[in-house]
Amino acid sequence: MDNTDKPSTGLVLHHLENSRSQRVLWLLEELEIPYTIKHYKRTKEQLAPRELRDIHPLGKSPVITDGDVTVAESGAIIEYLIEKYGNGRFEPPPTQEAKLQNRYYTHFGEGTLMPYLVNLHIFNIVPNRMPWFMRWFTRLIFGALQKRLIVPNLGAASKLIESDLAKSPTGWISRGPEPSSADFVMLFPLEAFPLALGEKNVGPKTKAWVEMAHKRPAYIRALEKGGNYVYAKL
Amino acid sequence: MDNTDKPSTGLVLHHLENSRSQRVLWLLEELEIPYTIKHYKRTKEQLAPRELRDIHPLGKSPVITDGDVTVAESGAIIEYLIEKYGNGRFEPPPTQEAKLQNRYYTHFGEGTLMPYLVNLHIFNIVPNRMPWFMRWFTRLIFGALQKRLIVPNLGAASKLIESDLAKSPTGWISRGPEPSSADFVMLFPLEAFPLALGEKNVGPKTKAWVEMAHKRPAYIRALEKGGNYVYAKL
């Protein structure tokens, strides 16, 4: 293979504005390791741009390249970075309960919670993109889907998160002194909760968790470096 | 707390028919450990029944209880079982590449692939449940959503899976002699591929992978024990 156009061998975050990638940026700042950001803007349709397919065949963000290695999928990226660069930090406390909490939420964030939020969003925007004379009817169908398939599940999820956070002496998901992989994965959906559920439906423990994350110096640096981010402001 | 009604302290799989739970059943049979199955039937609306909420607040399957411990979320259950009962089996080979593959697909199966398949299914069935005079129009909307939001993404995912399986000398995802957590997570979506994409759109490597899983004695025992399973027959 020709090496002329090989990308830098350093760590690169391929970062899409207003996306799940912001949580990887937060973790990178927490880790205090050298990395560069490559910024990508959403298309007019709010999708990831085609150039991301040059990095990973699915063409989504986040994705990182670390020398010859490419890692996609938020949960996998976060676990990889903590294992490789964490030096023992950002791990759950060494109790079975903490490990179970951490493992559960590291999967739950993308495996259960994000699909609800994505569908809530899709079902909200589709009617607005229909010709005006179809809008009322489309809104009726998608409203019914939201009410039956999403709202009860999101409500149960929100209650579970509240009750689990209430058991954490530190406020972090796996109950240690610092955020763990579960907290990084959960950042994006929990930041989206006020927009998705309505401010008044977000539980106090969840709000406190988001505030705690937003006060971390590493989070603030990540926000400065990330560009547009609709779920938090500098 | 009153202990009178405490459930058995053994390992119990709370198993919903025709569900993602089948892959946990497969893993339990591979592990050759004692466990019991508690069977749950879907409601008339094809949803999980209310009793599952007594096991875990989200009321979904799979969920396992192992003595005092309850573990939900497929990826978390599979990792927990392999770590606790695997005795070193069902781990990826100890190379960086194998570990990365395993970690990626362990997250990708539920974090990326299943949401596409679930939406494909929802967008298919919703029009059929509408009053007849709304069906044509509803099918038009949902067909457009499938075509724009799901089909291209599923196509890219299917191509990626084919190309990664083609690199595996053994046919398993993390390229070792036995299935690893990624294979267990990927069972359900890949079994659903022929129904979702159409038989002719499933790649040869993916088909071979499913056949290889279906030939395992543990898989066959799991099928005998699981009851109804639309994605494989005895």
Side-chain angles (χ1 to χ4, degrees), chain B residues 170-187:
Chain B
T170 64
W172 296 115
I173 292 172
S174 64
R175 307 175 188 181
E178 289 202 300
S180 62
S181 63
D183 296 283
F184 293 105
V185 168
M186 290 291 285
L187 181 75

Side-chain angles (χ1 to χ4, degrees), chain A residues 9 29 79 90 138 162 211 229:
Chain A
T9 52
E29 282 298 325
E79 286 181 353
F90 312 112
T138 320
E162 274 293 300
E211 276 166 29
Y229 190 55

